Amino acid sequence: MLALRKARRKLRMGTICSPNPSGTKTASEVCNADWMASLPLHLHKVPLSNLAIPGSHDSFSYWVDEKSPVGPDQTPAIKRLARISLVKKLMKKWSVTQNLTFREQLEAGIRYFDLRVSSKPGDADQEIYFIHGLFGIKVWDGLMEIDAFLTQHPQEIVFLDFNHFYAMDEAHHKCLILQIQEAFGNKLCPTCSVESMTLRTLWEKKCQVLIFYHCPFYKQYPFLWPGKKIPAPWANTTSVHKLIIFLETTLSERAPHGSFHVSQAILTPRVKTIARGLVGGLKNTLVHRNLPAILDWVKTQKPGAMGVNIITSDFVDLVDFATTVIELNDLLQDDKAFTKC
């Protein structure tokens, strides 16, 4: 029965988003653009906090500007070193954590986005940019790209987690929040009980966007969810073994009600890691060889109140990450317990 459901889902959503001349599918080409709409009927009434949802780490960092100043998220020592042009080129290799644009990630099935933002110190305007060591694209451009996808796919829901802010005063925050309002309008989901957030409820309200804002300004706006509603424990390790132990431990400590949960299935380089793989960069030094083992852990998981919820990864296209996470939802049977919310 499980195999039959998987086969049916692949028929519905396993199409190619962009044809490959070779005629074969790569992970980035498998189209999960409507996977939420394609879930079985009994999962429409399950809280989103109990579903398995694929996400990306440093979601915006598919492009960073090596010609821009080094970001305020870096130490003074790095800023001094970056005056040498070669240093910025090397920084780029360690700042980029994704290959796919927002649109491509959405088509691949990613529904949670890890967002870090900053103003450019010295700029006269209030423009806000994504940032990870180096400045990325303008936040407004990213929001518009996401909104265009959601308009074309009205049953897909996204989580936008604004969790790091740099060089931003009250005026910058107001500018950013206004951009969020202008970009998504009625698609924004007001804060309410986490357990009431089901696909069916959101579809009825025509809401598609949950904004999490890790800053006290969330209190002033009904569509900004507090950061505490979406904890994302960070292992901060280069060891796959230690990462998996950490993921298992934090899942066992997960609150069964009242919040979403992010499992950050990522490895974080140390200074010596960067020194050893300086030219290779994050992808070639740390991610590429370890991602298959991380994916094996994902395959052993089950969603639910005490199981996995959102799982994030670097370079989500290198393996069949999104589809693997999505298919975990096949393990959720038509259980009446889910309806008592």
Side-chain angles (χ1 to χ4, degrees):
M1 183 61 71
L2 181 60
L4 180 60
R5 284 203 301 270
K6 285 185 177 181
R8 285 174 177 170
R9 179 164 308 136
K10 286 178 179 178
L11 285 174
R12 289 195 300 267
M13 66 182 188
T15 56
I16 297 287
C17 292
S18 303
N20 184 334
S22 68
T24 60
K25 290 185 182 181
T26 66
S28 63
E29 290 174 325
V30 174
C31 189
N32 291 317
D34 292 294
W35 73 263
M36 287 181 160
S38 301
L39 287 175
L41 186 63
H42 71 274
L43 294 184
H44 297 177
K45 57 192 176 184
V46 173
L48 291 179
S49 56
N50 289 0
L51 294 180
I53 298 170
S56 56
H57 172 241
D58 281 318
S59 309
F60 50 87
S61 64
Y62 52 86
W63 182 84
V64 292
D65 185 5
E66 62 187 74
K67 296 180 180 178
S68 73
V70 172
D73 59 335
Q74 296 300 296
T75 64
I78 294 294
K79 291 176 182 177
R80 287 194 295 271
L81 279 172
R83 293 170 185 166
I84 305 170
S85 60
L86 177 61
V87 172
K88 281 191 182 179
K89 292 183 182 298
L90 295 174
M91 279 186 69
K92 183 175 181 179
K93 289 179 176 290
W94 290 92
S95 294
V96 171
T97 66
Q98 302 296 334
N99 289 325
L100 305 182
T101 66
F102 280 129
R103 176 82 192 200
E104 290 167 339
Q105 289 182 48
L106 286 160
E107 290 178 341
I110 300 301
R111 294 294 178 267
Y112 167 90
F113 295 89
D114 165 30
L115 307 175
R116 300 145 197 243
V117 298
S118 176
S119 70
K120 279 188 180 179
D123 275 13
D125 59 21
Q126 299 293 319
E127 196 66 66
I128 310 296
Y129 297 81
F130 294 116
I131 191 165
H132 188 219
L134 297 170
F135 285 97
I137 66 171
K138 294 178 180 179
V139 171
W140 174 254
D141 293 339
L143 298 182
M144 293 306 294
E145 189 173 354
I146 294 169
D147 181 66
F149 173 87
L150 293 175
T151 298
Q152 295 170 356
H153 303 271
Q155 289 186 294
E156 299 305 299
I157 314 299
V158 298
F159 298 71
L160 304 187
D161 190 2
F162 289 86
N163 51 54
H164 286 72
F165 303 92
Y166 300 97
M168 289 180 59
D169 56 23
E170 183 175 353
H172 289 112
H173 279 283
K174 287 183 176 179
C175 179
L176 173 57
I177 294 168
L178 180 61
Q179 287 185 351
I180 291 170
Q181 285 179 292
E182 291 181 349
F184 300 117
N186 293 333
K187 293 186 181 78
L188 292 167
C189 177
T191 57
C192 58
S193 162
V194 169
E195 280 65 46
S196 70
M197 290 291 94
T198 68
L199 289 173
R200 177 185 291 177
T201 301
L202 290 167
W203 291 343
E204 288 173 353
K205 295 179 179 179
K206 300 188 185 303
C207 293
Q208 293 180 265
V209 184
L210 282 74
I211 303 288
F212 296 86
Y213 211 78
H214 296 242
C215 177
F217 282 101
Y218 79 84
K219 298 175 183 178
Q220 301 177 26
Y221 301 88
F223 57 85
L224 295 182
W225 292 63
K228 65 183 179 181
K229 291 292 184 181
I230 195 160
W234 175 41
N236 192 16
T237 181
T238 59
S239 164
V240 173
H241 177 67
K242 290 181 179 179
L243 170 64
I244 290 173
I245 292 175
F246 179 85
L247 291 171
E248 295 283 359
T249 301
T250 51
L251 275 175
S252 70
E253 297 169 347
R254 177 188 174 186
H257 304 290
S259 67
F260 300 95
H261 183 88
V262 180
S263 296
Q264 295 198 70
I266 60 168
L267 297 173
T268 304
R270 299 274 193 266
V271 172
K272 63 181 181 181
T273 313
I274 296 173
R276 290 171 182 169
L278 193 60
V279 177
L282 178 68
K283 180 167 65 174
N284 295 326
T285 303
L286 200 58
V287 177
H288 205 283
R289 60 190 173 90
N290 291 308
L291 204 49
I294 293 172
L295 193 68
D296 286 343
W297 174 82
V298 173
K299 291 175 181 177
T300 67
Q301 299 308 299
K302 181 178 179 179
M306 295 302 292
V308 291
N309 179 203
I310 298 164
I311 308 177
T312 62
S313 175
D314 289 321
F315 298 104
V316 296
D317 61 308
L318 292 185
V319 292
D320 206 6
F321 172 74
T323 298
T324 301
V325 175
I326 293 165
E327 289 184 347
L328 295 178
N329 292 305
D330 290 325
L331 301 173
L332 293 174
Q333 302 299 320
D334 192 355
D335 190 340
K336 292 181 181 179
F338 283 124
T339 67
K340 298 176 182 178
C341 302

